[in-house]
Amino acid sequence: MTLRWLWDRFEEACHAILGRFPWIRNVYAVFAWFSFVVFLLSLLFLKDARTIFVQYLWSLYVLIQFWLIGRSKTITWRTYTAFFLAGGWVIAPLVRWVVSALNRVFGLIPSDVGSMAVLTPIVEEIFKLLPLIVFLLVARRSSSLSLSDYVLIGAATGAGFQWAEETVRRLVSTGWFGYGETLFGKFIHWEFWTLFPGKFYESSRPDLMTPSHAVETALVALGIGIALRLRWKKPREVGAYAYLFPAALLFLAILDHAAWNGQDDFPRWVLNLHAFFGAGFQAIPLLLVLWIVAIVYDYWDLNRVREELPRLPSEHWLNPLTEAYETFRVFFTKREDVFLLLVFYRERRQLGFTWLYGDEDARERGEALDGRLHQWLMWLSTAAVFLIFTWAAWNWLLTWPDADGSCFTCLFDGFTRWWGGLPWYEKAGLLFGIFALSFPLLGFWSAVGLALTVYDVAETADDLAELWRDPRKLQSPEVVLGTALTLGMMVLPGGPGKKPLASLAFRRFERHMPLPGSIGVDKTQKLFREVTIAGRKEFEMKYGRKGTGIYGIPDDLVVRNGKIEAVVEAKMWSREDWYKLASYPPEDIVYKGFPKKIGEQERRFWIQFEKHRESIDYLQSNLDKFPEARRLGIEIPVPIDEIRWVLKVSDSAPDEALEIIRRAYEAHGFPVEIYKVPWGKGK
């Protein structure tokens, strides 16, 4: 009720401003017409504008289909399309952000089956319901919606989400087949003579499918409407069990979505379960059956209060068939009154549902809730602050440099680098935020302990990463005792802290002064993570054993005119390390990397030219498998011996040692150039 009161005051303030400054409406009108002219010109001159508009027309066609079927609706077209905009402009980017964040938490990449077929379906199907949930919590009209309104709200949100998704898919579709096509025919179906177009199924093997997002979300939203209607009408007989119905429909929607995304990777029992529930083909018939029942129930409800509602002379019982007949008759006899008649029917239905489920019922429920409001207020406030804090924190986390999202331990490395790059006031703000969020739930001292623990983990995450990579280190009493002392000292006021390790400096060095034309460290690592995963799988299938050490990830690439022109190996050691490296046999330098006799800390950073050459060779031999390579401009394979290799070193590296290493590489087919950058003066 407080949110509704605040919204009313906001609307009143806006109307007052418009009344005081009427020129604002004129400026807006000029801007709107100017935008419309620009839009028309873009259709003539911009291919992407036409692509977007085509998908918009298909989405609009889906909206119209739902709108015409929903005979017992009470919401307006303006409200209906507002949910479409929310699905496209709010939910779609929000889902992408949440899935990306969860991928980082669980160490996944978008192409993993865990991300594509588990996380993505769950997040998408749940988050598409958020506009409906917010509307139910805030809008005054929420208590007097018809069941058809729930369908339309869910369909509009789902259609908006699919519009954003399919628009991006159309814009980035390249290759032989184009948008929605494979070697075996269509898999995305947008046909005019189809009910609710936008379905996904393979033309060659239509043994499973997933309907459009509009259908799935509309089905779950209808289940929520039915549960709410039953819950408040007969709480003693039905009770909380009514919510099992929308939960079951949500499970079916997630299963349809997940089975389609993971059909080539899921175990057989998952696909058998999906087939048992209809293999996706059940969604549209189930929605239509439930919707017809809902419309009949809506009109049965309205007839309970028909004596209080205005009726036309020919009406005895309110029903959709009479309304449709009267609409067609007026269209052919007095066409100018059609819209007035439609508005009359809609507002009559709205009045009827307000009589049935409106203010009085809301007041009765409000009295039952008054006694618990103070209990929920603290929890809701804490949750709101937590969501805002989490949103801000993840925005920072997603900017970590070099954090390899495909491995759990790399997140610890990224956490230390991110934390070390924050100014003191941001660190303090995060810690105070953690304390403020946990204080209402844990109490004062527990909240202090939690904040100090987070600070401790942030400062020592690189040590945790090393222990996670090699758990055998825990067998050493020295390591356990040293780690315990370090963790303990970090939480004490004035503790010694930790200096940045060589790993932090090394990874920052990779980004320092890239070669002209470099595609960037992040894009290079993202591409070659996909290459190494694909190459290892192929190696394992071919030879029946692990291929973990076959492929590597170069530090950077230079791509020019469709060709890989240079591969950068970024290394930074002290002057003594370079001399030690130059003293080892050339075969060890080239094929084994940095010798094991060098100290433990530096040994992690190998010169892995052989592994990286294998990765680049595999990439160029399988360009069609990697759309990311096409997007980065790699189109023409280059003989591996003609690719230019660059060794990126600190300007403190001694020339005589570098010359020995360069000759060793060239003797084994690695022509190398030296690229010095100003970075420190060695140890």
Side-chain angles (χ1 to χ4, degrees):
M1 297 303 294
T2 302
L3 290 175
R4 293 178 182 179
W5 182 87
L6 291 173
W7 180 255
D8 289 342
R9 302 293 80 75
F10 174 74
E11 285 189 330
E12 291 174 2
C14 291
H15 287 302
I17 293 173
L18 291 176
R20 186 176 179 183
F21 305 103
W23 57 267
I24 296 178
R25 297 181 185 271
N26 299 331
V27 171
Y28 175 74
V30 171
F31 173 75
W33 280 105
F34 174 76
S35 302
F36 181 69
V37 172
V38 172
F39 164 69
L40 294 179
L41 292 175
S42 71
L43 294 180
L44 297 176
F45 299 106
L46 298 178
K47 179 178 179 294
D48 286 347
R50 295 191 293 273
T51 300
I52 295 172
F53 190 55
V54 166
Q55 184 58 51
Y56 174 75
L57 290 178
W58 277 119
S59 300
L60 181 62
Y61 181 54
V62 173
L63 289 180
I64 293 173
Q65 285 189 345
F66 275 95
W67 184 257
L68 294 178
I69 297 175
R71 302 314 308 159
S72 58
K73 58 181 173 287
T74 68
I75 62 174
T76 63
W77 176 263
R78 182 178 181 179
T79 303
Y80 182 48
T81 52
F83 284 99
F84 174 83
L85 296 176
W89 293 108
V90 178
I91 302 303
L94 181 62
V95 164
R96 182 201 176 281
W97 174 77
V98 171
V99 172
S100 298
L102 291 176
N103 282 342
R104 283 183 173 272
V105 171
F106 295 108
L108 301 172
I109 60 175
S111 58
D112 288 342
V113 64
S115 173
M116 180 177 58
V118 179
L119 278 180
T120 297
I122 294 174
V123 173
E124 286 187 2
E125 298 303 332
I126 292 176
F127 273 63
K128 285 185 295 179
L129 299 172
L130 287 181
L132 171 62
I133 294 172
V134 171
F135 185 77
L136 293 176
L137 290 174
V138 176
R140 296 180 184 276
R141 283 270 290 108
S142 61
S143 61
S144 57
L145 293 176
S146 70
L147 293 179
S148 282
D149 291 333
Y150 288 93
V151 178
L152 294 178
I153 291 172
T157 307
F161 182 90
Q162 188 159 359
W163 170 76
E165 188 177 68
E166 296 306 313
T167 297
V168 174
R169 186 178 280 120
R170 285 181 185 270
L171 291 174
V172 302
S173 292
T174 57
W176 293 96
F177 304 106
Y179 168 78
E181 297 279 350
T182 65
L183 179 63
F184 305 103
K186 286 185 177 182
F187 67 91
I188 305 177
H189 295 265
W190 296 94
E191 287 96 8
F192 186 79
W193 300 111
T194 300
L195 184 63
F196 311 141
K199 299 183 286 292
F200 290 74
Y201 65 89
E202 299 284 358
S203 297
S204 61
R205 41 166 296 185
D207 55 347
L208 80 163
M209 68 163 285
T210 183
S212 66
H213 285 287
V215 171
E216 296 282 24
T217 313
L219 186 59
V220 181
L222 176 57
I224 293 174
I226 293 174
L228 290 174
R229 187 67 56 82
L230 293 175
R231 176 67 179 87
W232 292 117
K233 282 182 69 65
K234 297 180 179 180
R236 293 182 179 178
E237 293 84 346
V238 181
Y241 293 105
Y243 295 112
L244 293 177
F245 183 60
L249 295 178
L250 178 61
F251 170 76
L252 288 178
I254 294 174
L255 182 62
D256 287 346
H257 196 166
W260 172 261
N261 288 0
Q263 55 186 296
D264 297 323
D265 301 292
F266 269 161
R268 192 68 241 173
W269 69 266
V270 177
L271 299 179
N272 289 338
L273 179 66
H274 184 235
F276 176 78
F277 286 111
F281 293 95
Q282 85 292 340
I284 293 179
L286 180 60
L287 172 63
L288 291 175
V289 170
L290 291 177
W291 199 358
I292 292 172
V293 173
I295 292 174
V296 172
Y297 183 81
D298 279 340
Y299 277 94
W300 179 82
D301 250 357
L302 289 173
N303 279 288
R304 292 167 50 204
V305 292
R306 67 181 184 277
E307 299 300 331
E308 286 81 17
L309 299 176
R311 286 176 290 166
L312 299 177
S314 59
E315 288 184 309
H316 301 286
W317 292 86
L318 306 182
N319 66 86
L321 298 179
T322 302
E323 291 179 359
Y325 169 77
E326 190 66 21
T327 303
F328 278 106
R329 188 187 66 80
V330 172
F331 178 80
F332 289 105
T333 58
K334 201 175 181 181
R335 192 168 303 169
E336 64 272 15
D337 290 343
V338 170
F339 290 104
L340 294 176
L341 184 63
L342 292 176
V343 171
F344 167 74
Y345 286 145
R346 181 182 59 78
E347 293 194 352
R348 183 175 65 181
R349 291 191 291 266
Q350 180 179 337
L351 178 61
F353 288 114
T354 302
W355 274 106
L356 290 165
Y357 305 108
D359 295 340
E360 184 176 352
D361 189 46
R363 282 196 298 271
E364 292 176 0
R365 297 200 300 272
E367 292 173 1
L369 291 173
D370 279 343
R372 291 184 290 170
L373 277 179
H374 70 280
Q375 177 184 351
W376 287 97
L377 183 59
M378 178 179 293
W379 291 92
L380 290 174
S381 302
T382 303
V385 175
F386 175 76
L387 289 175
I388 295 173
F389 173 77
T390 304
W391 175 81
W394 271 109
N395 270 303
W396 287 328
L397 293 178
L398 293 177
T399 62
W400 291 349
D402 279 2
D404 184 355
S406 62
C407 72
F408 183 73
T409 55
C410 300
L411 295 176
F412 283 101
D413 295 329
F415 189 70
T416 297
R417 295 193 300 277
W418 165 76
W419 178 261
L422 292 180
W424 66 269
Y425 53 85
E426 290 191 11
K427 292 180 179 179
L430 287 171
L431 294 176
F432 277 114
I434 293 171
F435 171 78
L437 289 173
S438 54
F439 172 65
L441 305 177
L442 302 178
F444 178 79
W445 290 111
S446 296
V448 171
L450 177 61
L452 292 176
T453 300
V454 172
Y455 173 76
D456 173 35
V457 171
E459 292 287 345
T460 60
D462 45 5
D463 288 343
L464 295 175
E466 285 304 306
L467 291 176
W468 190 281
R469 288 189 179 95
D470 189 5
R472 290 173 298 180
K473 292 182 178 181
L474 292 174
Q475 297 174 356
S476 169
E478 294 83 2
V479 172
V480 176
L481 181 60
T483 302
L485 289 175
T486 300
L487 295 176
M489 292 296 291
M490 287 305 301
V491 301
L492 294 177
K498 291 180 66 64
K499 296 181 180 179
L501 295 179
S503 60
L504 177 59
F506 168 68
R507 288 182 172 88
R508 287 178 178 172
F509 177 75
E510 289 180 345
R511 284 177 156 74
H512 189 64
M513 289 185 63
L515 289 177
S518 164
I519 65 174
V521 174
D522 292 329
K523 293 180 180 179
T524 302
Q525 293 189 349
K526 178 182 177 182
L527 170 63
F528 279 95
R529 279 197 294 269
E530 298 178 2
V531 171
T532 54
I533 291 172
R536 290 168 188 169
K537 287 182 179 179
E538 185 174 306
F539 182 89
E540 293 170 8
M541 292 178 62
K542 185 175 181 180
Y543 297 103
R545 58 187 177 88
K546 295 288 185 182
T548 304
I550 303 298
Y551 302 98
I553 300 178
D555 294 304
D556 205 353
L557 285 184
V558 174
V559 179
R560 190 174 283 109
N561 298 325
K563 301 178 180 180
I564 295 177
E565 189 176 86
V567 180
V568 174
E569 274 290 0
K571 296 294 163 221
M572 189 189 74
W573 289 302
S574 68
R575 296 175 62 87
E576 293 76 12
D577 290 332
W578 282 108
Y579 281 120
K580 290 178 183 178
L581 182 62
S583 67
Y584 282 93
E587 292 81 4
D588 290 347
I589 296 175
V590 174
Y591 298 111
K592 296 181 181 179
F594 201 82
K596 295 183 178 180
K597 295 181 181 180
I598 303 296
E600 181 74 17
Q601 181 170 296
E602 291 82 6
R603 184 165 55 85
R604 291 181 293 173
F605 311 134
W606 294 1
I607 300 178
Q608 299 174 317
F609 273 32
E610 178 66 17
K611 293 182 179 181
H612 297 172
R613 188 167 68 167
E614 292 290 340
S615 293
I616 294 172
D617 193 29
Y618 183 83
L619 169 66
Q620 295 193 122
S621 302
N622 300 273
L623 278 177
D624 293 338
K625 295 182 180 179
F626 305 104
E628 183 67 23
R630 300 285 189 185
R631 286 193 287 271
L632 295 174
I634 304 174
E635 298 178 351
I636 304 173
V638 181
I640 194 70
D641 295 332
E642 297 180 11
I643 292 178
R644 182 165 59 100
W645 296 79
V646 180
L647 187 64
K648 183 178 176 183
V649 301
S650 168
D651 57 357
S652 63
D655 293 333
E656 56 272 21
L658 293 175
E659 183 62 23
I660 295 173
I661 295 171
R662 186 181 63 80
R663 289 201 301 266
Y665 291 139
E666 290 180 349
H668 290 79
F670 292 95
V672 173
E673 300 177 10
I674 304 299
Y675 183 60
K676 283 192 172 185
V677 299
W679 185 269
K681 298 299 181 184
K683 292 183 180 178

